[in-house]
Amino acid sequence: MAISVFDMFSIGIGPSSSHTVGPMRAARMFVRRLKSQGLLAQTAAVRVELFGSLGATGHGHGTPKAVLLGLEGFSPRTVDPQGVEPVLERIRTTRRLRLLGAEVGDAHEIAFDESGQLVLHRRRSLPYHANGMTVCAYDAEGVPVLEKTYYSVGGGFVVDEDAVGADRVKPDDTVLRYPFRTGDELLRLTRETGLSVSALMLENEKAWRSEAEVRAGLLEIWEVMKACVAQGLKTEGILPGGLKVRRRAAHTAKVLRAEGDRASHAMEWVTLWAMAVNEENAAGGRVVTAPTNGAAGIIPAVLHHYMAAVPGADEDGVVRFLLAAGAVGMLFKENASISGAEVGCQGEVGSACAMAAGGLAEVLGGTPEQVENAAEIGIEHNLGLTCDPVGGLVQIPCIERNGMAGVKAVTAARMALRGDGRHHVSLDKAIKTMKETGADMKTKYKETARGGLAVNIIEC
């Protein structure tokens, strides 16, 4: 199965790639399937059931909202975050859904009672993955016309029951010039070809797009990241959800600017840039899954550090950074998981930290062996990290955790560059360990809000 760097970095909205972006995509896929099979006009009712982590923490992650938007045909990539609430208000006030209403000429209106037709099962799971959902359409007589089960497997990836195990809706059989599934295979290919990690990745990306298109696409990703940071640095107030978490990035930015001398506060800025992104994510703003929403702040923060602190940093470096980081992310996707509901936060923040470390090592002139070493250091020191969001919201400890991991990624890259690439624990072994640790981790520590900080902090 071929994975593109654009699978690892996609534009969406907060607060969660697995609980917001994925379910929105799944719901939209379902209604588009109704249309393609000629079943849309005879659909009189729709029922959605959320299972596992989607059911347990769906309200905190905005899953019901995402499902409603998806059924109306909205895409995470293009939906206007500022226009979401009016749409939801209209649906809930009128108790009617416009199936595919966001797509001109395709709207089909039906009655919809959210309290009875959008069900969150807090203690029931489906067999394949912790993030499962079933959607069923009925005709006017109450007879099912189409039923599908979807799994949101992390990072916005969605599979249906026909693609279980493939980690995507339609397995991509594109033939790559330099296919690899492990870190060892990646390093072997770089040695045989003399290519850097980013250059080898670029050759693979050409199977889908021209070099110019790859560059333009990655720079668009960077622009969205920059806009997210900028928005987070200027927006104050209280985050939604009931915990009354106060945004801190804007105030802290004012303080740091007043103190001046950015070089002496370099790591504080890394922390701040990451927190700015994750405050925006928690507020439902536009973010880049990198590789997930819960870990969306780490790579933008380290990229900002590259641009601010590295002499000669430019857009070519940004492209190389994202290509190398994408290569690292694919190893996690192929051999373990990037889903907090499956392996805990080590799969989200841990993988993002490794990706950022590898990307930074690449643009600082690291050899492929040093890039692999940096990524290994990044994940090794996030092993065992649980996913225990307070109130099921992507706020505590998620926002600060991104800031800490951004600093850790910079440190990992610098440590790797001080060595020659030789080290005792390979990235492949660290990823294998992460997967095994996730399997051993109790369910209550995997995005269910039934363990850890989620139950030891009094909500107020």
Side-chain angles (χ1 to χ4, degrees):
M1 183 188 74
I3 299 178
S4 166
V5 68
F6 293 102
D7 291 323
M8 304 310 303
F9 301 112
S10 62
I11 299 169
I13 62 170
S16 171
S17 48
S18 59
H19 289 60
T20 309
V21 175
M24 191 187 303
R25 286 176 175 164
R28 183 170 181 262
M29 287 162 50
F30 180 81
V31 289
R32 288 172 67 86
R33 188 162 189 156
L34 284 174
K35 178 189 174 184
S36 67
Q37 294 185 6
L39 301 172
L40 189 61
Q42 69 187 83
T43 298
V46 171
R47 178 180 172 87
V48 181
E49 297 181 71
L50 304 174
F51 297 89
S53 181
L54 294 184
T57 65
H59 283 301
H61 285 91
T63 309
K65 298 178 181 180
V67 169
L68 296 180
L69 292 169
L71 291 174
E72 290 233 340
F74 288 96
S75 164
R77 181 182 178 85
T78 58
V79 65
D80 178 9
Q82 303 303 315
V84 165
E85 289 306 320
V87 172
L88 297 172
E89 178 66 21
R90 185 253 301 162
I91 293 171
R92 289 163 174 168
T93 299
T94 64
R95 294 192 176 187
R96 299 191 70 78
L97 270 174
R98 299 173 185 170
L99 299 180
L100 280 184
E103 300 188 11
V104 178
D106 289 325
H108 174 66
E109 191 166 308
I110 62 171
F112 187 81
D113 179 5
E114 185 176 350
S115 63
Q117 291 173 261
L118 181 48
V119 182
L120 282 74
H121 297 288
R122 298 183 180 277
R123 298 276 179 175
R124 291 178 57 190
S125 298
L126 296 180
Y128 171 59
H129 192 278
N131 294 328
M133 59 185 284
T134 297
V135 192
C136 187
Y138 304 85
D139 65 16
E141 303 300 320
V143 177
V145 297
L146 180 66
E147 180 174 343
K148 296 293 293 182
T149 295
Y150 300 94
Y151 295 95
S152 180
V153 296
F157 284 79
V158 175
V159 300
D160 62 21
E161 63 265 40
D162 299 326
V164 164
D167 273 9
R168 62 202 302 120
V169 179
K170 295 180 181 178
D172 191 333
D173 296 322
T174 300
V175 177
L176 303 181
R177 185 171 182 182
Y178 300 115
F180 61 90
R181 293 196 63 182
T182 68
D184 282 348
E185 290 175 358
L186 174 59
L187 290 179
R188 175 180 57 78
L189 286 168
T190 61
R191 287 192 293 267
E192 291 176 354
T193 62
L195 296 172
S196 66
V197 173
S198 61
L200 188 142
M201 274 291 295
L202 179 58
E203 291 302 312
N204 284 346
E205 288 298 317
K206 290 179 184 178
W208 292 286
R209 302 168 181 85
S210 69
E211 182 172 343
E213 289 171 331
V214 172
R215 175 183 169 83
L218 291 176
L219 290 178
E220 180 188 13
I221 292 293
W222 172 228
E223 288 300 319
V224 175
M225 288 179 173
K226 287 195 294 182
C228 185
V229 169
Q231 186 67 27
L233 291 182
K234 70 180 183 182
T235 306
E236 299 180 340
I238 304 296
L239 292 172
L243 290 181
K244 299 180 181 179
V245 174
R246 184 174 298 278
R247 287 176 176 255
R248 288 178 286 170
H251 172 73
T252 305
K254 292 178 183 177
V255 173
L256 287 179
R257 290 187 186 113
E259 292 179 359
D261 188 17
R262 176 169 286 187
S264 65
H265 297 298
M267 292 302 99
E268 289 185 71
W269 276 102
V270 171
T271 302
L272 178 59
W273 289 320
M275 291 179 62
V277 170
N278 284 83
E279 287 180 353
E280 276 300 294
N281 178 64
R286 185 161 307 288
V287 300
V288 174
T289 60
T292 67
N293 282 31
I298 299 165
I299 288 173
V302 178
L303 263 175
H304 273 74
H305 171 73
Y306 162 69
M307 293 296 284
V310 177
D314 56 18
E315 289 186 342
D316 287 337
V318 170
V319 171
R320 290 169 47 230
F321 183 112
L322 292 174
L323 285 168
V328 173
M330 291 174 199
L331 299 178
F332 284 88
K333 185 68 179 170
E334 285 273 15
N335 301 297
S337 175
I338 57 172
S339 169
E342 192 170 15
V343 295
C345 198
Q346 57 175 352
E348 297 199 34
V349 162
S351 61
C353 181
M355 292 168 67
L360 183 58
E362 174 83 5
V363 296
L364 291 179
T367 65
E369 288 76 16
Q370 288 171 321
V371 170
E372 185 263 358
N373 188 193
E376 187 279 326
I377 296 171
I379 183 56
E380 182 178 337
H381 300 287
N382 281 289
L383 291 175
L385 196 60
T386 58
C387 184
D388 49 354
V390 176
L393 299 167
V394 192
Q395 298 179 15
I396 302 172
C398 318
I399 295 170
E400 289 182 354
R401 186 169 285 174
N402 274 255
M404 298 297 291
V407 173
K408 192 178 292 186
V410 174
T411 302
R414 296 290 183 180
M415 289 177 66
L417 291 172
R418 293 294 183 184
D420 59 7
R422 290 180 293 181
H423 53 111
H424 289 284
V425 180
S426 69
L427 177 57
D428 287 336
K429 289 179 181 177
I431 292 174
K432 180 175 184 289
T433 302
M434 189 197 82
K435 182 178 182 179
E436 293 171 347
T437 303
D440 292 339
M441 194 180 289
K442 291 184 177 180
T443 301
K444 68 180 183 179
Y445 297 119
K446 294 192 281 190
E447 211 166 4
T448 59
R450 295 202 294 266
L453 286 176
V455 298
N456 286 316
I457 301 296
I458 303 299
E459 296 181 38
C460 57

